[in-house]
């Protein structure tokens, strides 16, 4: 059988050839979607480019919004998060050697859970294994066909042979470097982008965290963030220049910069040690609209990326797939496509609010220019306002713990 110009060579493999929903990408978006669909009785197959070992080894942010934690619990995926994660009732902003605690509990009656995306990804893979949900790893050269018809197909290579998977719907969950969004014609699709002129240098160390809650610091030398994974695993970040590489930041330079950027009361408690991982993350934001075309839908980083300030990326992936799972389930139970038709607008309305919050927190906390310019004065005025206004703190708390899904 030839599909387009490509020959399907394997007609006898054990791999599925037909499903209801083909999901491209086995990150948090793709695997959670497949699991939520399974709970609704909808069959799916996840096609993941990389090996399981690679996917489970990626270190990413670890702030689970209040609503995201609720979604995971309701799906029966919250046990390890609740056992090993940390409930945080507040977050701290540092400026001019002072610390301001944003009291989530007192201001909005909610919290976040600190739980690494690496752990959540393992929980999702374990749950899929338990339920026997199909995941094909090392699926290469994925192509999507016929999304403008009711019988789309995905073809892919596995172990050197080509396979075809026919389905009712295709969901692109293949992350920022994926190709699914390219199937939306350029006449229909639009990308909105903001690049920031700096990077985050991140370090993981087996040391006790400097504080029991996160600290986001604005300092003349640049931004710093203190986060954590557990009692003896700290995650720290400092703002670096756009062209920096991890080699530009030997441990000693990193620790010195971090210590200098923290208020004295925190810096005095900082315990340093050898890094066990160091990476450089560019800061950018983009949204590709719309999130659907024909029978193709996009979710998570495949459709939008936010800077890590505020840790919204994973939470947006979760809200996208909650909307999509419910819309697909409606279609299979009632035949209604209303949810699917509205998916793009519904998800984008939440996405843009998180894009706005990530942009606001990035603009508030980073050093943009070495000069004392107009923008720096505005930044200082806004921090001053936040330090003195409960209304401003409440707005920050409401966004940080996550807007309603
Ligand atoms: N074919 C199949 N899979 C692919 C392809 C492809 N062409 N390209 C990429 N992938 C896989 C990647 O290997 C990855 O496992 O898609 C998956 C996408 O996962 P993520 O990048 O984790 O994106 P997503 O699931 O949307 O989760 C968003 O991840 O990037 C972070 O900060 C972000 O926390 C947020 C979360
Ligand atoms: C992290 O723990 O890695 C983290 C926390 C908060 C952020 C970004 C990253 O805003």
């Amino acid at each position: 059988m030839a599909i387009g110009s490509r020959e399907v060579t394997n007609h006898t493999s054990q791999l599925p050839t037909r499903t209801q929903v083909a999901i491209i990408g086995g990150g948090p978006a793709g695997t959670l979607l497949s699991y939520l669909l399974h709970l609704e009785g909808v069959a799916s197959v996840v096609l993941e480019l990389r090996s399981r070992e690679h996917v489970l080894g990626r270190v990413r942010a670890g702030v689970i919004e209040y609503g995201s934690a609720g979604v995971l619990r309701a799906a029966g995926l919250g046990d390890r998060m609740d056992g090993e994660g940390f409930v945080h009732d507040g977050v701290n902003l540092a400026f001019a050697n002072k610390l301001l605690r944003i009291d989530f509990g007192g201001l909005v009656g909610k919290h976040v859970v600190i739980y690494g995306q690496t752990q959540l990804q393992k929980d999702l893979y374990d749950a899929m294994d338990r339920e026997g949900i199909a995941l094909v790893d090392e699926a290469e050269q994925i192509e999507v066909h016929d999304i403008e018809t009711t019988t789309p197909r995905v073809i892919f290579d596995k172990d050197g042979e080509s396979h075809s998977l026919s389905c009712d719907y295709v969901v692109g969950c293949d992350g920022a470097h994926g190709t699914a969004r390219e199937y939306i014609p350029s006449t229909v699709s639009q990308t909105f982008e903001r690049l920031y002129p700096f990077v985050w240098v991140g370090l993981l160390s087996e040391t006790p965290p400097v504080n029991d809650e996160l600290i986001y610091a604005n300092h003349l030398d640049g931004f710093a963030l203190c986060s954590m994974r557990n009692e003896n695993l700290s995650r720290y970040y400092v703002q670096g220049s756009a062209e920096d590489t991890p080699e530009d930041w030997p441990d000693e330079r990193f620790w010195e910069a971090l210590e200098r950027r923290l208020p004295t009361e925190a810096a005095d408690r900082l315990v340093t040690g050898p890094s066990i991982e160091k990476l450089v993350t560019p800061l950018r934001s983009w949204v590709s609209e719309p999130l659907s075309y024909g029978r193709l839908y996009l979710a998570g980083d495949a459709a939008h990326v936010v800077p890590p300030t505020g840790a919204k990326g994973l939470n947006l992936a979760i809200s996208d797939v909650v909307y999509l799972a419910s819309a697909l389930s409606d279609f299979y139970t009632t035949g209604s496509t209303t949810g699917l038709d509205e998916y793009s607008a519904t998800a984008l309305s939440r996405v843009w609010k998180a894009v706005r919050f990530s942009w606001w927190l990035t603009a508030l906390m980073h050093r943009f220019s070495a000069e004392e310019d107009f923008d720096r004065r505005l930044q200082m005025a806004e921090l001053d306002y936040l330090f003195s206004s409960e209304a401003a703190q409440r707005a920050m708390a409401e966004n940080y713990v996550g807007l309603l899904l």
Side-chain angles (χ1 to χ4, degrees):
M1 175 178 40
I3 294 175
S5 56
R6 205 152 139 208
E7 190 78 11
V8 171
T9 49
N10 192 326
H11 307 276
T12 56
S13 85
Q14 302 302 307
L15 297 183
T17 56
R18 156 92 210 146
T19 189
Q20 289 175 309
V21 182
I23 300 173
I24 307 174
T31 48
L32 179 60
L33 177 61
S34 73
Y35 192 74
L36 295 177
L37 289 175
H38 174 80
L39 295 180
E40 299 288 337
V42 178
S44 67
V45 174
V46 178
L47 302 170
E48 164 59 45
L49 176 65
R50 312 298 297 253
S51 66
R52 173 176 285 238
E53 194 185 11
H54 177 93
V55 172
L56 293 178
R58 290 191 293 228
V59 180
R60 298 250 177 93
V63 180
I64 315 275
E65 289 177 356
Y66 186 80
S68 301
V71 165
L72 296 171
R73 283 186 200 112
L77 293 165
D79 288 356
R80 198 155 78 99
M81 173 184 76
D82 285 331
E84 296 175 21
F86 298 87
V87 169
H88 280 197
D89 279 315
V91 72
N92 301 275
L93 297 182
F95 169 60
N97 209 29
K98 288 181 304 207
L99 266 183
L100 167 71
R101 179 165 190 267
I102 306 288
D103 172 15
F104 301 151
L107 291 162
V108 291
K110 292 181 181 168
H111 57 254
V112 295
V113 183
I114 304 301
Y115 186 60
Q117 186 175 313
T118 317
Q119 275 74 23
L120 177 60
Q121 185 72 76
K122 180 165 187 315
D123 298 344
L124 286 161
Y125 269 56
D126 287 350
M128 289 176 72
D129 289 347
R130 243 186 351 258
E131 298 295 319
I133 302 170
L135 184 142
V136 181
D137 64 357
E138 300 184 74
E140 297 175 332
Q141 306 289 334
I142 294 185
E143 284 176 20
V144 177
H145 291 263
D146 304 333
I147 51 169
E148 295 179 50
T149 74
T150 53
T151 52
R153 279 171 294 185
V154 181
I155 52 177
F156 61 96
D157 287 357
K158 168 81 179 163
D159 299 330
E161 307 218 297
S162 288
H163 301 261
S164 171
L165 176 66
S166 57
C167 55
D168 303 325
Y169 289 99
V170 180
V171 184
C173 296
D174 51 352
H177 304 291
T179 54
R181 67 183 165 278
E182 289 165 19
Y183 289 92
I184 302 187
S186 57
T187 48
V188 175
S189 139
Q190 247 189 309
T191 302
F192 302 90
E193 185 173 37
R194 167 72 38 106
L195 297 174
Y196 296 93
F198 38 72
V199 296
W200 279 15
V201 184
L203 175 146
L204 198 62
S205 69
E206 284 170 332
T207 50
V210 67
N211 198 47
D212 55 7
E213 290 174 347
L214 273 61
I215 302 176
Y216 291 82
N218 175 313
H219 188 272
L220 283 175
D221 289 355
F223 168 78
L225 168 61
C226 306
S227 182
M228 67 212 54
R229 292 294 174 269
N230 60 45
E231 296 91 343
N232 201 39
L233 194 55
S234 297
R235 184 74 167 149
Y236 296 117
Y237 300 91
V238 294
Q239 175 181 349
S241 311
E243 59 287 348
D244 282 356
T245 65
E247 291 68 48
D248 293 318
W249 286 88
D251 288 5
E252 200 175 318
R253 179 182 177 201
F254 185 96
W255 289 119
E256 271 174 27
L258 178 65
E259 192 175 348
R260 227 178 18 251
R261 295 178 192 192
L262 296 179
T264 322
E265 61 173 289
D268 286 348
R269 295 194 305 265
L270 183 65
V271 180
T272 65
S275 62
I276 54 171
E277 200 236 26
K278 198 177 285 152
L279 53 71
V280 164
T281 312
L283 269 73
R284 64 196 175 121
S285 199
W286 55 259
V287 180
S288 174
E289 295 186 8
L291 304 190
S292 64
Y293 180 75
R295 290 223 165 185
L296 172 69
Y297 294 81
L298 301 176
D301 273 21
H304 41 74
V305 163
V306 288
T309 333
K312 292 296 178 206
L314 172 63
N315 294 292
L316 286 180
I318 292 176
S319 54
D320 283 357
V321 302
V322 165
Y323 298 139
L324 204 45
S326 147
L328 285 162
S329 161
D330 274 0
F331 170 76
Y332 284 107
T333 46
T334 68
S336 162
T337 61
T338 308
L340 287 168
D341 298 341
E342 291 174 355
Y343 165 70
S344 183
T346 308
L348 281 171
S349 135
R350 189 169 196 280
V351 165
W352 273 107
K353 291 184 191 89
V355 168
R356 187 208 67 82
F357 178 69
S358 310
W359 158 84
W360 173 80
L361 195 55
T362 303
L364 184 70
M365 300 310 290
H366 290 75
R367 192 77 208 256
F368 282 77
S369 127
E371 311 300 324
E372 277 299 305
D373 58 11
F374 189 85
D375 289 342
R376 173 76 186 158
R377 283 287 201 263
L378 285 182
Q379 201 182 53
M380 292 189 319
E382 181 142 14
L383 279 160
D384 231 10
Y385 173 54
L386 199 58
F387 272 60
S388 60
S389 159
E390 193 184 284
Q393 291 169 22
R394 182 169 292 115
M396 168 155 180
E398 183 181 36
N399 281 275
Y400 199 97
V401 302
L403 300 176
L404 284 180
L405 263 74

